[in-house]
Amino acid sequence: MRMKADPKAAAGRAFVRSLNILLKFARLYGHEHARTIEQLQTAWQELRAAIPMGTDSALVLGATNSQLLLDGVPLEGSPAEKQFAQLLSAAGVASVQFFASLTEEEIGRFVRAFPTGKAKPAELALQLKAALADAQGIRINEICFVATDARLKDVSIAAQIAAASLGGDQEQFRQWLNDPQKLLELIAAAQGSKSGGVSGPGPGGPIPAGEAPGTGDSAAAGPAGGGSGYGRGTAGGGTSTGTGRGTGLWTAGGSGVDFVSEIECSAAVGSVAVAGAGFGAGKGSASGGHGEPSEEEIYGILSALTSFGTVGTGQGGVAAAGVFQEQMSQLPGRAQDTLKQALASLAAQAPNNKPDESVIVKLAEHLAIRFALERFERGEVKVNAVRQMLDRMNQEIENLRKILGSHEDKMSEAGILAESHREILDKQFWAAVPESGKRAVLLSGDAWCIPPRNVQSYVGELIEHGNIAEAISILQNYAACADSEDADARKKTAVGLSEMAELYAKADPKLLSEALRHVGLRLSVEQDSELQGLVSAAFVRLSQEAATSRYFPAMEQALDLLAGVESQRPGIARSLRGKMGIEERVPEFVEEALKARQVAAGLTDVLRLLPQTTMEQLSARFNRCSLRDDSEHVANLAADLGEEAVQYLRSTVRGGPIAEAVEMAGLLSRLDPESVMVFLPGRMKDFPRTSQDRIVRQISASGAARRCHILLELLDHVDPLVTPLVIDEIGVTADREALGKLLTIADGDLPPGGGSFLRVKAIEALGRIQAQESASTLKRLVEAKKVFGWVQPLELRIAALQALDKLDPDWVQDYLPKSGIDQEDFTLAPLEIPLSSRFVRQRRHTRVRLQKPVRAVSINLTENCSLEIKTASLSGGVATISRHLPPGTQVQLKLQVGMRNLQATALMRDYRAQDMAFEIVDMNLEERSKYRRLLAGSLQPTGPAVVESDVTPEPVGVAASK
């Protein structure tokens, strides 16, 4: 069955193509060029066709990596469209939602927001926001998807930070910004100048075992230091000592700890220019530290670092250093201490190697991630607040990157899409969260805050390590977030479920059912139009994954939920049904159900929920069956689908399109013959002859118990050329119910338009029924005489005598010598039709391979054709034809037999290889007697070589092969 195309989806795909062309024109010619303006009009019209004015529909254009999605359905795009998807993803734009309230002016603003020259992808989101600030018909959805590299989970935070590499020669101050030791000197100098301390080296003398070397005396505040063993340094006018390994970040209340990495130092790292700046890596008691900085102080540090970067790119040498120290001296003491600790950690990690990128950028990211992580670990903020905090910090870090980001500029000029700054911070934060913290968040009600790719990475590792139960729990909890009262939570959960549908199927297909339940119930009650679109996309994606993985219980649940949505929102339900990918797979499901010894769990229920598509497929399969067992299997599956499926067949036969009614009449006659008897006769007279012919053959092949009664009801409503076939099929049923009607026709009481050919067919049918009640009538037809000759035509008497041979063979043997019928004429009797045959159709007459092909020509067509008949029987034949004729064409044939010509009316049937079959539907009885002798003359004693017996079935759809 050909699926009906969704007009909205087709118009949406056309709009996406036009939009891509429009952006290309804008880059090539500019926005004011005639071609660009014309293309804008085309895109606008196609978008309006997809979401008509005045409706509540919307169109969601999403992007994930290099894949564009339209209302959640992946689009097969060109390389240009894949690059468009990459641009949106790199800019942090997850989707663009178009509403019916959209105006032409707004779509123009949307297009103009895209850069026509070189620009960083990160700038696109800002330009779109600015251009569409007050737009009502377009909404930009910024959802961050971040991947986590599991290989980095045991590596220190500083080693995980990724920033843009700096290339090219830098000025002197730019080099200082890349050297943590130089920055330490500048910061310590700024502290010393502010506090009035005196600079100067002070090594101090012999060092006890394990004691850290310090520098001279100073009143500058500094973090405590110490090594493994015994260490000493000055800090805020006091003395601090400590041993062991550092575990924290800040100097608070007397505990001095290292930043991020667990570094064991036997000597403190000190400033060579300023006395009193000692740093260590051990814990210890201290007096005078400044404690942990506040959130606002962290923001102040990031802002100051941005200012430092500006100074470094604008000035150089001593002047730049002076400005740097002046700004540093304005920071609070705790902020200065924090910077010094961070720089000490960075310097310790790479003491002999100069970093490849700006230390200021690394330092800013370092501080932002660690501050957010420690606040999260202490429970002061939830994970959703962490996201907001990182977003705010990212604004400052992004400004700093713009100042120092020459490497990103080069990548942008080369057309390479770099990872966005926001994604980098998200990735760093998630990598820094300990395993217990990750598990706690993913099993909490805030799981929706975690970017889907991070969830995928974590759950994927659990599955690889065999921890399936925990992976299932996390995915169950994530899906439950779709029921949250928070609109933002529902929005991000819907996007995440779309992204992770394949993961749900991989972990446990049963999870698809659970996720669909949450999303489907939300779809019925969601009021926000934007959320409706996102939830719909998630529902479609999960349904598609269920169909792809062939998990039928989930498909059943999706269809059940859709039925509930349809009762409340029929428009949305109709739109979703065509996108789910279940209905279009019904042919595969039907094939699987028919081939499997045991039907998969839930498969029958899925087919039952799709009665129209399923019954169309089963009807077509039923009509193509040539074996009785196959036909029975199809009929049994159709019966298992229940009353709704049968009701669809009834409604189609009663009032559906003729072509569909024709295809479904056969299966309905098997499942509900009474309905066929009620609905079909009244419609039959309005059907074309070819449709009538097909219905008769399908009902006969159906094996229905009451098919004889159905055919009797149809007998008076079919075309005269179809009547012989009906009578033939009635005889094949061997049902005594037909005796009265057949005897009436045999005696000459014919249906409208019937001739003597019908009497012969009725007598042949009586011979197949073999009812003794018909013997007297048949004998009367054989024996009736007139003054000169016999009352009945020879062909009719032959048919009656052949029928009597099955009822009273002794009488026939006695009467045959005085009947005036030659033994040769008596040979081609109708074949016996075994009721237990494994084929749905059998030949009615012996097929004879002619000793010499018989040529025939058509004489009733506008453009006549010639036929070469090589094989024939009393009911038709197979011929090589000079030109193609559509099956069902009525042809008046003139057969050239020596010096004689025989005429017959035939219907052309289907092609068989290079030949075409035909069925004789009317023939003068004298002509038929001559035709019989022609066939009998081709018979030889070695019959099997030229006579094809009734063992071979009649091919389905080829009546002439009888």
Side-chain angles (χ1 to χ4, degrees):
M1 182 199 71
R2 179 175 295 176
M3 300 295 298
K4 298 180 175 66
D6 183 1
K8 178 185 175 183
R13 288 192 292 269
F15 165 68
V16 173
R17 288 193 296 270
S18 295
L19 176 61
N20 205 26
I21 295 172
L22 174 59
L23 295 177
K24 178 180 179 181
F25 282 1
R27 289 194 299 269
L28 292 175
Y29 310 120
H31 291 290
E32 306 304 324
H33 194 276
R35 294 191 66 179
T36 307
I37 296 174
E38 180 182 358
Q39 187 62 32
L40 176 60
Q41 287 294 322
T42 301
W44 164 249
Q45 293 170 4
E46 291 170 342
L47 179 57
R48 182 51 69 201
I51 46 173
M53 179 70 75
T55 64
D56 59 352
S57 60
L59 193 71
V60 180
L61 176 61
T64 171
N65 293 332
S66 62
Q67 178 67 65
L68 286 177
L69 301 99
L70 188 64
D71 285 344
V73 178
L75 297 177
E76 295 183 2
S78 63
E81 289 169 337
K82 291 181 180 179
Q83 190 173 8
F84 181 44
Q86 290 176 331
L87 175 63
L88 292 178
S89 298
V93 177
S95 63
V96 182
Q97 199 159 6
F98 301 93
F99 299 97
S101 58
L102 178 69
T103 64
E104 187 173 357
E105 185 266 339
E106 288 176 345
I107 191 67
R109 287 158 54 191
F110 171 73
V111 173
R112 286 178 170 81
F114 284 84
T116 56
K118 292 187 296 184
K120 296 180 182 179
E123 297 176 1
L124 176 58
L126 299 176
Q127 295 176 4
L128 287 172
K129 281 184 178 180
L132 304 174
D134 57 346
Q136 301 297 316
I138 304 181
R139 182 170 298 173
I140 305 299
N141 299 315
E142 290 185 276
I143 308 296
C144 186
F145 300 104
V146 184
T148 300
D149 192 342
R151 296 172 299 177
L152 301 179
K153 65 179 182 178
D154 296 324
V155 183
S156 63
I157 298 298
Q160 296 178 35
I161 296 178
S165 299
L166 291 171
D169 294 330
Q170 307 294 323
E171 298 179 1
Q172 180 181 11
F173 187 69
R174 191 70 171 267
Q175 295 174 355
W176 287 5
L177 296 182
N178 287 339
D179 191 337
Q181 292 286 1
K182 294 292 185 182
L183 288 176
L184 275 172
E185 294 173 10
L186 290 173
I187 294 173
Q191 287 182 315
S193 63
K194 182 177 181 181
S195 61
V198 179
S199 301
I207 304 172
E211 181 177 349
T215 57
D217 298 325
S218 174
S228 58
Y230 177 86
R232 173 173 298 166
T234 59
T239 302
S240 69
T241 61
T243 60
R245 295 164 62 91
T247 59
L249 170 60
W250 319 112
T251 304
S255 294
V257 295
D258 77 333
F259 179 80
V260 182
S261 60
E262 298 174 344
I263 307 172
E264 296 185 2
C265 301
S266 61
V269 180
S271 171
V272 298
V274 183
F279 298 86
K283 280 186 177 179
S285 62
S287 63
H290 291 291
E292 177 184 347
S294 66
E295 183 174 338
E296 291 302 321
E297 286 176 338
I298 290 293
Y299 294 142
I301 293 173
L302 297 179
S303 179
L305 290 176
T306 303
S307 299
F308 297 163
T310 304
V311 171
T313 56
Q315 302 182 40
V318 178
V323 175
F324 183 97
Q325 290 177 321
E326 178 64 25
Q327 292 183 344
M328 183 67 217
S329 67
Q330 302 302 318
L331 290 176
R334 287 186 300 186
Q336 295 181 27
D337 293 345
T338 299
L339 278 173
K340 290 167 68 177
Q341 291 179 46
L343 285 168
S345 175
L346 293 177
Q349 289 179 30
N352 299 320
N353 297 321
K354 183 177 178 180
D356 293 334
E357 49 193 292
S358 173
V359 170
I360 288 184
V361 175
K362 293 182 66 175
L363 187 60
E365 293 178 346
H366 213 150
L367 291 169
I369 294 299
R370 196 61 199 179
F371 179 76
L373 181 62
E374 292 214 347
R375 293 202 64 187
F376 169 70
E377 290 177 340
R378 289 198 302 270
E380 296 179 11
V381 293
K382 292 186 177 181
V383 68
N384 58 335
V386 170
R387 294 291 301 277
Q388 297 171 1
M389 187 187 307
L390 290 178
D391 284 346
R392 182 177 173 187
M393 294 179 181
N394 177 60
Q395 294 177 4
E396 290 292 344
I397 298 175
E398 187 169 346
N399 291 333
L400 184 59
R401 280 176 170 271
K402 289 179 180 178
I403 295 168
L404 303 174
S406 61
H407 178 66
E408 288 189 354
D409 291 337
K410 292 178 181 179
M411 293 180 69
S412 178
E413 291 175 3
I416 302 174
L417 299 176
E419 190 175 24
S420 71
H421 311 147
R422 184 180 180 185
E423 290 178 346
I424 292 174
L425 282 183
D426 272 336
K427 181 165 62 178
Q428 292 169 358
F429 172 76
W430 182 250
V433 176
E435 291 297 312
S436 59
K438 293 178 180 178
R439 186 180 302 106
V441 172
L442 292 175
L443 291 173
S444 72
D446 295 325
W448 57 270
C449 299
I450 306 303
R453 292 188 185 177
N454 288 348
V455 181
Q456 282 183 305
S457 174
Y458 187 81
V459 173
E461 287 186 16
L462 291 177
I463 295 174
E464 288 179 6
H465 291 88
N467 198 348
I468 304 298
E470 186 174 345
I472 291 174
S473 298
I474 290 173
L475 294 177
Q476 287 175 330
N477 180 69
Y478 191 93
C481 293
D483 300 326
S484 173
E485 296 181 359
D486 185 351
D488 192 42
R490 299 197 301 273
K491 174 180 177 181
K492 292 182 179 178
T493 302
V495 174
L497 289 174
S498 297
E499 180 80 7
M500 296 190 294
E502 187 174 350
L503 179 63
Y504 273 74
K506 177 182 178 182
D508 186 351
K510 294 180 181 178
L511 290 173
L512 290 172
S513 299
E514 190 164 344
L516 280 166
R517 177 174 59 82
H518 289 294
V519 176
L521 294 176
R522 175 52 53 185
L523 193 60
S524 299
V525 299
E526 190 61 67
Q527 299 299 321
D528 184 87
S529 58
E530 178 189 6
L531 274 171
Q532 280 182 13
L534 295 174
V535 173
S536 298
F539 186 81
V540 166
R541 184 66 189 90
L542 290 167
S543 301
Q544 291 174 337
E545 190 59 38
T548 301
S549 59
R550 306 184 95 79
Y551 186 63
F552 299 108
M555 287 185 262
E556 179 188 358
Q557 180 152 31
L559 293 169
D560 269 334
L561 291 166
L562 191 64
V565 174
E566 194 165 14
S567 63
Q568 302 176 34
R569 298 174 174 177
I572 293 177
R574 283 194 299 271
S575 175
L576 294 181
R577 188 177 293 276
K579 301 174 184 175
M580 291 167 61
I582 297 177
E583 199 161 349
E584 65 187 22
R585 291 178 179 265
V586 167
E588 301 173 23
F589 298 158
V590 168
E591 184 76 17
E592 180 176 333
L594 293 175
K595 286 185 176 180
R597 293 185 177 180
Q598 184 175 0
V599 179
L603 174 53
T604 303
D605 295 327
V606 170
L607 297 177
R608 186 180 294 116
L609 292 171
L610 296 169
Q612 176 176 345
T613 308
T614 303
M615 295 310 283
E616 288 173 356
Q617 290 295 320
L618 288 176
S619 296
R621 289 294 298 264
F622 187 78
N623 296 336
R624 292 199 302 267
C625 288
S626 59
L627 298 177
R628 180 61 63 194
D629 287 346
D630 293 344
S631 175
E632 292 290 327
H633 197 20
V634 174
N636 291 337
L637 178 59
D640 290 342
L641 299 184
E643 177 60 24
E644 187 175 355
V646 178
Q647 182 57 37
Y648 173 70
L649 294 180
R650 292 193 196 103
S651 62
T652 303
V653 172
R654 180 176 61 233
I658 292 176
E660 296 180 11
V662 167
E663 292 301 313
M664 297 184 186
L667 184 56
L668 183 60
S669 68
R670 176 61 185 273
L671 301 177
D672 187 8
E674 286 75 14
S675 296
V676 177
M677 286 185 271
V678 172
F679 302 134
L680 195 55
R683 294 195 68 188
M684 200 71 166
K685 61 181 181 299
D686 298 324
F687 288 2
R689 184 181 63 245
T690 53
S691 298
Q692 294 179 358
D693 177 82
R694 185 164 175 77
I695 285 178
V696 170
R697 294 170 60 76
Q698 289 175 2
I699 292 174
S700 177
S702 68
R706 301 202 62 190
R707 64 187 185 278
C708 178
H709 189 89
I710 298 173
L711 294 170
L712 288 171
E713 292 290 333
L714 299 179
L715 186 59
D716 294 330
H717 300 278
V718 297
D719 186 276
L721 294 180
V722 180
T723 306
L725 174 63
V726 178
I727 295 176
D728 231 5
E729 301 295 356
I730 289 173
V732 170
T733 65
D735 194 329
R736 295 173 59 87
E737 183 181 3
L739 277 176
K741 187 67 173 178
L742 293 177
L743 288 171
T744 301
I745 296 175
D747 270 334
D749 187 2
L750 301 173
S756 56
F757 186 76
L758 288 184
R759 298 181 66 190
V760 173
K761 286 293 180 181
I763 293 172
E764 290 178 349
L766 289 170
R768 292 195 174 99
I769 296 176
Q770 298 183 20
Q772 290 296 330
E773 296 91 326
S774 62
S776 59
T777 301
L778 295 175
K779 289 178 181 179
R780 176 167 47 83
L781 293 175
V782 172
E783 295 175 326
K785 287 187 177 182
K786 56 184 178 180
V787 177
F788 299 103
W790 304 92
V791 174
Q792 303 299 336
L794 175 62
E795 187 65 18
L796 190 145
R797 295 179 64 241
I798 293 173
L801 198 61
Q802 289 172 336
L804 282 169
D805 192 38
K806 301 173 183 178
L807 297 173
D808 193 351
D810 294 336
W811 184 88
V812 171
Q813 290 301 319
D814 292 339
Y815 184 76
L816 185 59
K818 54 186 176 182
S819 65
I821 299 174
D822 295 339
Q823 186 66 37
E824 183 182 11
D825 295 334
F826 196 67
T827 53
L828 294 174
L831 295 173
E832 292 283 349
I833 305 297
L835 296 178
S836 59
S837 173
R838 64 191 184 98
F839 300 106
V840 298
R841 297 184 64 82
Q842 298 82 27
R843 296 195 179 104
R844 275 56 164 176
H845 290 86
T846 301
R847 180 189 297 174
V848 179
R849 188 174 297 118
L850 301 176
Q851 296 177 350
K852 182 179 180 182
V854 174
R855 296 190 177 276
V857 294
S858 63
I859 58 174
N860 65 317
L861 303 177
T862 304
E863 183 180 350
N864 288 313
C865 60
S866 60
L867 299 85
E868 186 178 78
I869 304 171
K870 300 177 181 178
T871 303
S873 71
L874 283 174
S875 54
V878 178
T880 302
I881 191 169
S882 62
R883 70 181 183 88
H884 172 74
L885 294 176
T889 302
Q890 177 184 346
V891 179
Q892 193 70 28
L893 293 178
K894 179 188 290 186
L895 285 70
Q896 301 171 357
V897 184
M899 300 299 295
R900 300 170 297 172
N901 290 327
L902 304 179
Q903 291 194 17
T905 302
L907 295 180
M908 302 308 297
R909 295 297 187 189
D910 299 333
Y911 270 102
R912 300 185 61 205
Q914 301 300 319
D915 300 330
M916 196 169 190
F918 64 92
E919 179 180 5
I920 297 175
V921 294
D922 193 17
M923 196 174 194
N924 181 276
L925 294 189
E926 291 185 8
E927 301 279 90
R928 193 171 194 258
S929 296
K930 298 175 183 178
Y931 182 57
R932 179 189 292 271
R933 294 192 185 99
L934 170 67
L935 298 179
S938 295
L939 295 177
Q940 297 178 0
T942 57
V946 291
V947 179
E948 299 182 19
S949 69
D950 59 327
V951 174
T952 307
E954 176 188 343
V956 176
V958 186
S961 61
K962 302 175 187 175

